[in-house]
Amino acid sequence: MLIADLHSHSRASDGLLSPAEVAQRAVANGVDILALTDHDDLGGLGAARAVADSSGMRFINGVEISIEWGGLQVHIVGLDFDPLNGELNEGLASIRQGRVSRAQRMSAELEKIGIARCFEGAMRYAENPNLISRSHFARYFVEIGICKDVRSVFESYLVPGKPGYVTHRWASLDQAVRWIVAAGGIAAVAHPGRYKFSRQEMRNFLDEFKGCGGKAIEVVSGSHSQDNVNQFSRLAREYGFLASCGSDFHGPEESYIDLGGIASLPDDLAPVWTAFR
Ligand code: AMP
Ligand code: MN
Ligand code: MN
Ligand code: MN
C-alpha cells in the first residue's frame, strides 16, 4: 500500500521541525510520497527535496496559500508546481507582506487586555520572520503560562470573536488558484471539513473553486473525522475532483497525527498523485 502525505509544515512557516527533519521523519515513517506545504512560502522545499532525493522518497513541491472566502480564512494547497515561477512567487510575497502588520495589530489588541509585548514574544518563535503566524503567538502564550497548550490559546484568544483575532485581507480564491496553475501545479482545497460553511456555502465555494481551475480536494486529512471523509468523498465524486490526503503535521508535540499516519483514500477515488508529472 502506497503511503502518501501531501500536507506538512516545517519551520519555514509554523512547523516545529526544519524542512530536512520533516523529510527525514517522513522517510523513517515509511512515507512513499511527501509534499511539504508550508504556509505562503517556498523556502523549505530545496532542503526537504535534498533529503528525499538521497533517501529514495518521492518529493512533491507544495504550498498552502491563505485566502479569504465568504468572510472566512480558507486554505488552498498547491502541489507539483515550478517553484521558480515568477507569478506564484510574487503572489506569495504579497501575502507574506501583510503578515507582519497583522501580527502588530494582534499584539496591539492583546495589549488592551493586559498581555504586553506579544509581537516580540511571538517573533522569537518565528524562524522565518516574514511568516509570523497565530501559531507563534500561541507558543509564546504557552511559554508565559497563559494557557496550558496551543489549542486552548486558539480557543480563548486567537479565533473570531476573541480578543487577539483581527480581520485580515488574504489572497482571493481566484488569485491563489491562478498562481498555482500558472506555475504548472494542481490546486486542492485544504481540510474542507474545518470551514464553518453551511451545505449551500460549501457548494458555492466548490463551484467557484472548480470554475477558477481547481482540480483536487483533501478527502483524508489530519483534521477530518470519518464523517468528513465520507462527506468529501461524495463531493469529490460529484465534482470530479482528484482526491488528496495529508496529515497537516506541524510537529511531534503539537500534532496528533504523525507524518504518513493518515488513513488511505477510498478505493474508487482518483488519487491526486496520478496527475503529478
Ligand atoms: P495564521 O496563518 O497565522 O492565521 O495561522 C493559522 C495556523 O494556526 C494554522 O495553519 C494552524 O497551524 C494553526 N491553527 C489554527 N486553528 C487552530 C486551532 N484551533 N488549534 C491549533 N492550531 C490552530
Ligand atoms: Mn499551520
Ligand atoms: Mn490549513
Ligand atoms: Mn496546513
Side-chain angles (χ1 to χ4, degrees), residues 91-112:
L92 296 177
S94 72
I95 312 185
R96 289 194 298 267
Q97 243 172 21
R99 278 187 175 270
V100 173
S101 57
R102 170 202 188 221
Q104 282 162 340
R105 284 184 290 126
M106 286 171 64
S107 192
E109 290 304 310
L110 289 160
E111 184 109 37
K112 289 183 194 161

Side-chain angles (χ1 to χ4, degrees), residues 73 85 90 100 110 119 127 139 162 171 192 200 219 243 245 250 266 276:
Q73 188 184 338
N85 178 269
E90 284 158 27
V100 173
L110 289 160
F119 179 79
E127 184 168 298
R139 289 172 194 150
K162 300 298 173 179
Q200 190 55 50
V219 170
C245 56
H250 280 72
F276 290 163

Side-chain angles (χ1 to χ4, degrees), residues 9 13-15 39 64 75 133 135 248 250:
H9 296 274
S13 63
D14 62 349
H39 299 284
E64 183 174 18
H75 287 162
S133 150
S135 302
D248 205 357
H250 280 72

Side-chain angles (χ1 to χ4, degrees), residues 19-195:
E21 286 166 341
V22 171
Q24 279 152 6
R25 192 176 178 97
V27 170
N29 289 0
V31 172
D32 298 298
I33 312 180
L34 173 75
L36 181 69
T37 55
D38 275 306
H39 299 284
D40 310 322
D41 197 294
L42 308 181
L45 297 179
R49 177 176 291 283
V51 169
D53 284 352
S54 66
S55 321
M57 178 176 65
R58 190 165 175 202
F59 183 78
I60 301 297
N61 294 321
V63 67
E64 183 174 18
I65 304 184
S66 315
I67 67 157
E68 187 205 311
W69 192 90
L72 292 182
Q73 188 184 338
V74 169
H75 287 162
I76 301 294
V77 162
L79 296 169
D80 199 31
F81 49 78
D82 169 13
L84 300 178
N85 178 269
E87 194 172 338
L88 175 62
N89 279 280
E90 284 158 27
L92 296 177
S94 72
I95 312 185
R96 289 194 298 267
Q97 243 172 21
R99 278 187 175 270
V100 173
S101 57
R102 170 202 188 221
Q104 282 162 340
R105 284 184 290 126
M106 286 171 64
S107 192
E109 290 304 310
L110 289 160
E111 184 109 37
K112 289 183 194 161
I113 59 160
I115 310 172
R117 301 184 61 78
C118 296
F119 179 79
E120 291 75 7
M123 243 343 167
R124 285 202 283 107
Y125 284 85
E127 184 168 298
N128 177 354
N130 293 318
L131 224 295
I132 177 87
S133 150
R134 283 184 288 162
S135 302
H136 302 119
F137 279 79
R139 289 172 194 150
Y140 175 62
F141 274 37
V142 173
E143 175 197 318
I144 62 177
I146 293 186
C147 288
K148 68 177 193 318
D149 58 24
V150 159
R151 194 161 294 265
S152 353
V153 183
F154 270 88
E155 271 167 30
S156 306
Y157 295 95
L158 302 180
V159 294
K162 300 298 173 179
Y165 184 83
V166 301
T167 56
H168 182 65
R169 280 198 77 82
W170 300 102
S172 67
L173 175 59
D174 171 68
Q175 284 175 316
V177 175
R178 187 150 31 85
W179 299 336
I180 293 165
V181 171
I186 297 171
V189 178
H191 44 62
R194 280 199 13 201
Y195 310 128

